[in-house]
Amino acid sequence: MVSVTGLHHVTAISGDPQETVDFYAGVLGMRLVKRSVNQDVPDTYHLFFADRDGNPGTDITFFPWPSLGPKRRGVGLWDEIQLSVPPQTLEWWDARLREAGLAPGAIEVRFGERVLPFEDPHGLSLALVEAQPYTGFAAEPWHESPVAADRQIQGLAGARLLERNGSATVGFLERAFGFEERAGEGEWTRYTVGEGQSGQRIDLKVLPEGSRGGWGVGAVHHVAWRVPTDEAQLSVRRQIASGGRAPTEVIDRFWFRSVYVMEPGGALCEVATDGPGFSVDEAPESLGETLVLPSWLEPQRGAIEAALPEITLPQQVAS
């Protein structure tokens, strides 16, 4: 079979777009590598935060929908998203988050790694993990970040998932994506692909009587997994279909190509190609500085820009 290689990106629902930019660029120190719109609902931004180059596996993206109510945490919904940071930096990050007005949880150890759980200003469950990435993973420090290079977020580490029926979801993850059970710890079971390092993990908790989760501000919309080529994507798509699920056709997102599918418990998954990348329509040095629209929306640029609130990048002061 063809396995996915790791996380590609995570997309979540946030509140006010300026607050989103202020936190992810200003506090977490990630680079805004693309400002666009939701291609299906173009009256809202689609904001991408990543490493310097927007490498696959480093970006967390947002649909700012402040008019939505808050998320409803529960089964069938991606839960916490984990971001990797260098070793021995969690105390510094704890202080930085507290200075920003957040209240992170206590540093804990999960599967042998130190973890700092917290929520972003809009209620998205996050955790910083001191973890090593897998072989071939690329992340470039952003030297204009307010966070020094030796403390910067290095990419996506993993995701947590809550389900009522663990066997159905596990069977899907194994047959469609190539995941294998790696370890158990308390109520959580870790499933991995490849080397099982940071960026190649799902932690699953089964709650047979759990209430159904629901999208809202602070929810994960979908989790996307990497494949290196179009051919690999089509192979994974066939694996999804042969397992009885209903994947979409390949959709061109310009910076990558996407296939979407609901896993049996209801959480939305994506399979995304590594390329062509965010520099296909912007120079690397100016990523994220202007609004980028797909070609079919260009005739509506005036109306779209008029409907979107203005956003500005925060003043960056290195620390």
Side-chain angles (χ1 to χ4, degrees):
M1 72 174 302
V2 174
S3 297
V4 298
T5 56
L7 282 159
H8 187 282
H9 67 271
V10 170
T11 295
I13 300 169
S14 66
D16 180 79
Q18 184 63 59
E19 293 175 0
T20 303
V21 171
D22 289 344
F23 182 72
Y24 284 89
V27 177
L28 295 191
M30 304 178 79
R31 186 182 185 188
L32 178 63
V33 294
K34 192 68 61 179
R35 65 176 83 189
S36 188
V37 294
N38 184 312
Q39 293 180 14
D40 303 310
V41 189
D43 62 352
T44 190
Y45 280 112
H46 193 179
L47 304 173
F48 294 72
F49 301 89
D51 72 337
R52 183 193 69 189
D53 300 332
N55 281 301
T58 69
D59 57 316
I60 182 167
T61 90
F62 292 92
F63 301 139
W65 277 319
S67 61
L68 287 184
K71 71 179 179 185
R72 186 174 67 255
R73 191 182 183 203
V75 298
L77 194 71
W78 293 104
D79 198 54
E80 177 191 86
I81 299 303
Q82 300 148 5
L83 307 169
S84 65
V85 293
Q88 303 305 312
T89 59
L90 288 187
E91 286 78 9
W92 182 89
W93 275 108
D94 179 79
R96 183 170 180 83
L97 294 171
R98 292 181 188 279
E99 289 171 3
L102 301 184
I107 294 173
E108 56 190 76
V109 176
R110 301 179 189 168
F111 296 97
E113 297 169 339
R114 297 207 312 157
V115 178
L116 177 64
F118 67 101
E119 288 188 350
D120 81 356
H122 298 153
L124 178 65
S125 297
L126 296 168
L128 300 178
V129 185
E130 293 177 347
Q132 294 298 318
Y134 54 94
T135 303
F137 176 82
E140 296 294 334
W142 180 37
H143 296 295
E144 295 181 41
S145 171
V147 176
D150 60 356
R151 298 188 182 108
Q152 284 180 25
I153 290 169
Q154 298 172 319
L156 298 165
R160 280 183 157 184
L161 181 59
L162 305 176
E163 295 286 5
R164 279 203 194 111
N165 183 343
S167 61
T169 292
V170 170
F172 168 81
L173 293 174
E174 291 174 342
R175 293 188 296 271
F177 293 161
F179 279 88
E180 297 179 345
E181 183 175 340
R182 186 78 165 209
E185 186 175 88
E187 297 179 294
W188 294 94
T189 304
R190 173 160 289 180
Y191 297 87
T192 65
V193 291
E195 302 164 24
Q197 296 294 332
S198 174
Q200 298 179 310
R201 306 161 172 173
I202 294 173
D203 293 339
L204 177 66
K205 183 177 182 179
V206 178
L207 298 168
E209 305 301 323
S211 59
R212 177 76 187 180
W215 283 341
V217 174
V220 176
H221 188 271
H222 64 268
V223 169
W225 301 94
R226 295 177 64 178
V227 286
T229 64
D230 293 337
E231 291 75 16
Q233 183 181 59
L234 291 175
S235 294
V236 173
R237 186 182 182 279
R238 285 192 291 270
Q239 290 164 190
I240 293 169
S242 67
R245 306 307 296 171
T248 67
E249 297 298 324
V250 176
I251 301 172
D252 190 353
R253 297 302 191 193
F254 304 103
W255 315 297
F256 44 84
R257 284 167 288 281
S258 301
V259 170
Y260 299 87
V261 64
M262 289 280 191
E263 56 84 27
L268 184 58
C269 304
E270 178 182 347
V271 181
T273 58
D274 282 350
F278 289 117
S279 296
V280 71
D281 52 8
E282 289 184 292
E285 63 272 13
S286 58
L287 291 176
E289 294 182 3
T290 59
L291 183 69
V292 175
L293 297 177
S295 58
W296 72 85
L297 289 177
E298 275 296 342
Q300 304 173 44
R301 175 176 285 273
I304 290 172
E305 290 183 333
L308 293 172
E310 183 179 354
I311 55 174
T312 58
L313 288 172
Q315 294 296 314
Q316 309 290 34
V317 178
S319 64

